[in-house]
Structures are given as C-alpha cells and as structure tokens.
Amino acid sequence: MDPIEKPTMTHPTRRTFLRGIGVTMALPWLESVPVWGAAPMVGDLPAPCPKRFAALFMGCGVNPTNWWADGSGAGMELGSCLEPLAPLKAKINVVNGLFNKHATGVGIHPGQTGNVLSGAALQKGAELKGGISVDQVLANQLGPETVQPSLVLGCEQPVTGYHETNFSMAYSSHISWQSATSPVPMEVYPSLAFDSLFDNRGARRDQSVLDRVKEDAAGLSRRVSAADRAKLDEYLASVREVEKRAAAMRATRDAADAKGKPTVGMPRPENGLPEDIREHMRLMCDIVALGFQTDKTRVATLLLCRDISGLFYPFLNVGTSHHPASHNDRSDAYERVSRYYVGQLAYLAGRLDAMPEGDGTVLDHCCLMFLSNMWSGTKHDNSRLPVILAGGLGGTLQTGRVLDYRDKGDANRKLCSLYLSLMERMGVKQSRFGDAEAPLAGL
C-alpha cells in the first residue's frame, strides 16, 4: 500500500479504525493487519511494534522497611510492599538509589514534586517556572505518529494556593509539564478520558460506542483470520466493560456543564467520579491500557495521588488520610497503603501483558515507571527515590533485575540519567535533560 493511501476495509492497515456516528475506535494489533501506522515494511518484515512510556505517581513516599527486592528473574524476592508484582518478576526492574538533584535542599513537598519528571530547578513565588517533563518531550517527538500525543490522567483534583515553603501548590498537583511555566491539563473524570480515547462526541455520546461501530466491526471480522476474530471479540468486550463503568459518571458531569461550572474547578462530586478510589484508579489504568493497545497514544502519565494527598483508605483499615499516614511511614497502615499503590502498577502491567502483540505482548513493548517524590514521608527524605520499571521496551531494556545505585556517587545516580536512557531507547535522543548529560550506566 502506498504510505499515503487512505486505509480501506478491503485492505486494512494498522491504522484501520472502526467508525460510527460521532465516534472513532482504533484497533489493537492483529496478525492479519501487520503494518504499524503508515510505516513501511523493513525488508520482508513489518515495521516493529511501537514503544510506549507511562509514569505512575504516588505522593509522599513509601514504607521504607518493606520496600526491597533481591535476586533476579523468577527467583527475585520481594518485600511485602512489592508483592503485587510477584507474577511479573521477570518483567520488572527495581531501581534503588536514584535522586533528583534540584528537588533536594529546597524544602518539603511542592519543591520535591513539581520537577519529578523534569529534573528542573523550580521557582518560588507567584510565577511558575520549572521545565518540560520527560513524557511531554516524548509526546512532542512521537505525537505525530499517533492520534493523541499523550494521556495525562489523575485520580485526585489539583489544589491551588501556596505551601509554607512559598512554592506554588501547582507543583504538588501536577507531574506533567508542557513547558517551564505550564502544567498539562490533567483529566480526572474517567468519562471524559474515555470520550477522548474514542473520539466520542456529539448528541450520541451517551450511547454505546460499540453499538455505533458494530457494522464496521462485523465487516472487519469477516476479513481477518480466526485468531484475529477472537482477539477482536476480546478487545470489544474489554471496551464494553470500561464503557459501562464510565457511563454512570457522565450524568453529574453534564449537570455541572449545564450550570456553567467548569468541570476542572469542581470538588469531587459524589456521583461524577467513583466514590471508591479503587474503582477510579482501575478505570484510569484501563483507559491507559486501551490507549496503548490500540496505539491511540504512546505516552501517558497517571497521578494516582498528588503530593500532600487527602485520599482516604477505609478498605485498608487506615484511619487517617494519605498525607498524615505518610508521617508514620514505617507503620503497618502505611505498608498497606504502599502495597496498594504498587498493586495499581501490577494491575496495569498485568493487563498489558495479557494483550498479544507481534511476537510478545503490549507490556513487552512498554516501559511503565512507578515512582514517588520522596523515600520517607516521616522525614520528607528524597535523597533517594523509590522507582520500579515494568516492561522491556521492545527488547531494548533488560528486565528481571534489582539495580542499586546508592554507592555509585551522586554524578552516577541521577534520575534524569534514567530519563535520558529511556528516551534514547524510544528513539528520542537528547544531549542533556534536567541535570543529566549522560544516560544511566548499567541500565
């Protein structure tokens, strides 16, 4: 097919979409449709599967006592905080000892958070100034290859005002920054994130997207292999499940729009967002998974909870909100909180690992990074940060390892060196990023 030829159902390409009234649905990888986007063949082989990056953030540090790993591969031993990742030992890297230089020695909380993905020095006072985050560098470079340059999602509303350190609370509320002065608007409503993913718009947006594309889906099903028909059916069933869970949240969102209130400025409505944070986080993970599976986007950030978070965890039998609980970070209660958040990474990684793609899975072509802005919430200590990577970035990132940089010296344990390494593996080479001028040795 000519690279600029418009895809048709007779000759489907990886850029085949299912279309209906007011909706467009991208397809997952299918063996009958071996071309990725408009990329040319490489010899007699299809172009390689795309690489994706996602960052999942938990504010206020982890339980340091039980955050550890030892060994390698399937024999890796995990501390209780990391136990949810046990089924994926061979596909993760636990990285110890990295730090973010410009987030140290500047005061607690906002100054430790607003540059967690940029490594930039932050400015105090009324004027925001930091740096572009790694996800947006990737989005700027890889965005033209996808419909949506990036997904920027959150499970807790941003807050305004200033911290006692005179840093803006915008730094505590956002990890994704499109420039030195502007955070990327973060979507906290699953229904809106779902609508964006499927280009769901117009008066019919409350109707099932699957019902609107069923004729196209039936036509495609007749043209692909039996194995691909099974994959297509499984994908559509997954979309239906997410759609049903997101649909119930639109009513309050629409009521807010009718009253002229900007959705982003509202406190969390009782029905507009899931009352149970567990459902909220799972929905957002599912939306990231669908975005990656369909190649709608290759870059995502998910702020599971912001710095100085006010989320509560009655289902974990934790009596205080997140931030006060972090001030007793060696407690059993905060161990349960830390393990719960690692469970969100495990859930997303598990979903992606169950999606066949090429000669592996979607997870095999991803790097999911889990991190916090500090190691200890009790001490507000960010001299080292908890970092976990999941996925092998298309074979460019060895997995199943515990990497320890604590005794390598500050020049060799920069968080931004990790970002340089990941960007280079994704085809986005930078001479420097944040405070780093070289990739991370040993990665």
Side-chain angles (χ1 to χ4, degrees):
M1 173 180 283
D2 186 279
I4 62 173
E5 180 181 339
K6 183 178 179 180
T8 66
M9 292 301 295
T10 304
H11 301 288
T13 76
R14 181 60 185 81
R15 275 295 175 215
T16 297
F17 295 90
L18 301 180
R19 301 184 186 278
I21 299 175
V23 66
T24 303
M25 181 184 294
L27 291 173
W29 180 87
L30 302 172
E31 63 185 5
S32 306
V33 188
V35 179
W36 286 99
M41 301 289 282
V42 179
D44 295 328
L45 300 174
C49 300
K51 301 181 180 76
R52 298 90 155 184
F53 170 81
L56 282 68
F57 176 82
M58 166 193 178
C60 300
V62 298
N63 173 280
T65 305
N66 297 291
W67 189 281
W68 59 267
D70 190 37
S72 61
M76 187 185 296
E77 297 180 29
L78 300 174
S80 62
C81 288
L82 307 188
E83 280 180 357
L85 292 165
L88 295 162
K89 290 177 182 178
K91 294 193 175 185
I92 65 171
N93 287 313
V94 180
V95 187
N96 296 319
L98 300 185
F99 85 121
N100 191 15
K101 178 180 178 180
H102 288 302
T104 60
V106 297
I108 61 176
H109 290 299
Q112 298 175 313
T113 309
N115 56 9
V116 71
L117 293 183
S118 73
L122 303 180
Q123 181 170 301
K124 296 183 178 182
E127 182 181 352
L128 296 176
K129 188 175 182 182
I132 186 172
S133 52
V134 60
D135 63 303
Q136 292 306 300
V137 173
L138 289 169
N140 289 342
Q141 294 293 317
L142 304 178
E145 301 177 30
T146 60
V147 177
Q148 195 162 328
S150 68
L151 282 173
V152 178
L153 307 177
C155 297
E156 193 170 15
Q157 296 278 19
V159 292
T160 59
Y162 294 90
H163 187 255
E164 62 191 48
T165 57
N166 199 29
F167 281 108
S168 169
M169 288 300 291
Y171 294 131
S172 281
S173 300
H174 300 276
I175 59 172
S176 181
W177 292 75
Q178 58 195 351
S179 70
T181 58
S182 300
V184 180
M186 180 175 61
E187 183 53 72
V188 298
Y189 279 75
S191 58
L192 291 177
F194 180 89
D195 290 342
S196 172
L197 193 64
F198 294 103
D199 195 23
N200 191 26
R201 61 192 188 280
R204 296 173 179 257
R205 70 186 183 281
D206 292 331
Q207 299 177 9
S208 168
V209 298
L210 296 182
D211 289 346
R212 285 181 278 160
V213 300
K214 62 183 179 182
E215 291 184 8
D216 254 8
L220 177 62
S221 183
R222 290 191 294 268
R223 291 170 170 81
V224 298
S225 68
D228 276 349
R229 278 196 294 273
K231 292 177 187 175
L232 184 61
D233 289 345
E234 182 179 355
Y235 165 62
L236 296 177
S238 178
V239 173
R240 176 75 78 183
E241 177 190 356
V242 175
E243 182 179 53
K244 286 180 177 178
R245 288 154 58 201
M249 301 162 206
R250 292 197 179 95
T252 299
R253 189 275 318 276
D254 290 345
D257 290 345
K259 295 177 182 178
K261 296 180 180 179
T263 304
V264 71
M266 291 178 60
R268 176 177 294 189
E270 291 184 4
N271 298 316
L273 295 174
E275 293 184 5
D276 191 331
I277 192 63
R278 291 173 292 184
E279 176 67 4
H280 196 177
M281 291 184 184
R282 288 294 171 93
L283 268 172
M284 290 310 205
C285 286
D286 287 337
I287 287 168
V288 172
L290 290 173
F292 281 2
Q293 181 187 24
T294 59
D295 200 33
K296 182 71 180 287
T297 190
R298 298 177 186 174
V299 181
T301 60
L302 176 54
L303 186 140
L304 294 165
C305 72
R306 56 173 167 76
D307 177 46
I308 320 184
S309 172
L311 294 180
F312 282 88
Y313 313 103
F315 53 89
L316 297 176
N317 194 27
V318 176
T320 60
S321 64
H322 185 98
H323 178 215
S326 75
H327 284 179
N328 188 13
D329 60 16
R330 294 184 182 273
S331 66
D332 290 342
Y334 203 64
E335 183 274 338
R336 293 193 296 273
V337 172
S338 300
R339 178 157 32 101
Y340 166 74
Y341 276 89
V342 173
Q344 307 315 301
L345 171 66
Y347 174 76
L348 176 56
R351 283 219 55 187
L352 295 173
D353 203 37
M355 298 172 177
E357 183 177 75
D359 57 358
T361 69
V362 175
L363 179 63
D364 294 330
H365 304 122
C366 291
C367 177
L368 308 180
M369 180 180 70
F370 179 98
L371 81 168
S372 186
N373 56 329
M374 59 185 83
W375 174 248
S376 168
T378 300
K379 299 178 180 179
H380 297 101
D381 174 21
N382 66 346
S383 60
R384 56 186 286 207
L385 298 178
V387 177
I388 306 171
L389 307 178
L393 274 182
T396 66
L397 181 61
Q398 182 184 346
T399 55
R401 299 175 294 165
V402 179
L403 303 174
D404 196 343
Y405 293 88
R406 285 175 292 180
D407 61 353
K408 304 297 183 184
D410 286 358
N412 300 305
R413 63 183 193 97
K414 295 178 179 180
L415 183 63
C416 286
S417 290
L418 170 64
Y419 297 155
L420 281 175
S421 296
L422 297 178
M423 287 190 284
E424 184 174 2
R425 284 165 167 81
M426 293 186 69
V428 179
K429 188 171 178 59
Q430 304 281 300
S431 59
R432 66 172 297 132
F433 185 75
D435 64 331
E437 297 180 356
L440 187 65
L443 185 64

